Amino acid sequence: MPDSHTDSNAFVASFTVPPTGSGPLDGLTFAVKDVIDVAGWTTGCGNPTWRDTHPPAVVHAVCVEQLLGAGARCLGKTVSDELAFSLLGRNHFEGTPLNPRAPERVPGGSSSGSASAVACGQVDVALGTDTGGSVRVPASNCGLFGFRPSHGVVSVAGVNPLAPSFDTVGLFAPTADLLARVATVLLADDVAPPREPSAIYVVREAFALADPEVAQALSKPLQGLRQRFGDRVQEIALAELAGDGAMASFSAWCDTYCVLQWAEIRSCLGGWFDATSPGLGP
């Protein structure tokens, strides 16, 4: 594992913000994706023009406040794909964070630095954002547990918006138990009692579109689910799952998502682009 924050290239800034309270996260450390505000530091969004045209944050994002208030200590801000675009994890200006599970491969993005910092053991957990996979992809690439909450249940106050209808604050952790412990703080709710699922759906169209290697890699966990839950694991078509009157094809869902996402990206970032003509990576 890397000996320092520099070795992993996961961090854009290393500093310490002490906890503001005591609670279930006492003794834990965390890092913050550089699209999330930490008071006193400029949120750079992975782009030097953005960093140069915005002032330092005056207050912490709510999600940062929550972790500090529960006893965790912040150790810095992490690399993001430029303006939170891309799922690769490479930043033209800030480099590519290390994927310690596969050093010759990308960590995945856009929350690449947060995933790398946790996978390299430099922090216990890290905050990221997920609009279209930006926590789930790097978590998968780096062998971590990643959590994208349902939309609207974790505050995005203090998070730079990309496409607000889809933006969420997500979380990386090395174990499921630690992820659940920290997620409970972000969700601001008591731990729900364990309960058994009534059904687990395997969407046929998703597996039909997957590359053969991906489908093969998923066969073992699917087998484990079937052994654990029996006939509650059900193969189902998207049309059945979505219900009558809903769009029944992946392509229709994808087209709708893309139109809405790009309209919101233009609304959030277009004025800044027009005013600054920023330098961008290739």
Side-chain angles (χ1 to χ4, degrees), residues 202-211 214-215 218-219 222 250:
V202 179
V203 180
R204 292 193 187 101
E205 291 92 338
F207 283 81
L209 286 171
D211 293 336
V214 174
L218 292 173
S219 63
L222 276 177
F250 265 1

Side-chain angles (χ1 to χ4, degrees), residues 13-173:
S14 295
F15 51 80
T16 298
V17 180
T20 57
S22 180
L25 307 187
D26 284 353
L28 294 183
T29 59
F30 71 99
V32 179
K33 181 181 181 179
D34 196 25
V35 299
I36 300 172
D37 287 349
V38 174
W41 294 87
T42 300
T43 300
C45 296
N47 177 271
T49 307
W50 184 278
R51 185 174 289 111
D52 292 343
T53 54
H54 289 80
V58 177
V59 298
H60 301 312
V62 168
C63 56
V64 175
E65 285 280 14
Q66 287 175 297
L67 300 196
L68 294 172
R73 184 170 79 256
C74 178
L75 296 187
K77 304 198 77 174
T78 56
V79 173
S80 167
D81 282 28
E82 195 174 354
L83 300 171
F85 283 91
S86 175
L87 293 173
L88 294 178
R90 298 185 294 209
N91 186 297
H92 174 71
F93 301 101
E94 296 165 352
T96 302
L98 174 67
N99 180 347
R101 299 296 179 88
E104 74 286 359
R105 299 185 182 275
V106 295
S110 62
S111 305
S112 55
S114 290
S116 176
V118 175
C120 289
Q122 295 173 314
V123 290
D124 296 306
V125 296
L127 294 172
T129 60
D130 190 314
T131 300
S134 289
V135 164
R136 291 163 287 171
V137 170
S140 177
N141 283 16
C142 295
L144 299 170
F145 287 85
F147 174 52
R148 181 201 192 276
S150 298
H151 190 265
V153 297
V154 174
S155 174
V156 293
V159 179
N160 193 68
L162 180 67
S165 292
F166 307 101
D167 295 344
T168 61
V169 171
L171 177 66
F172 298 94

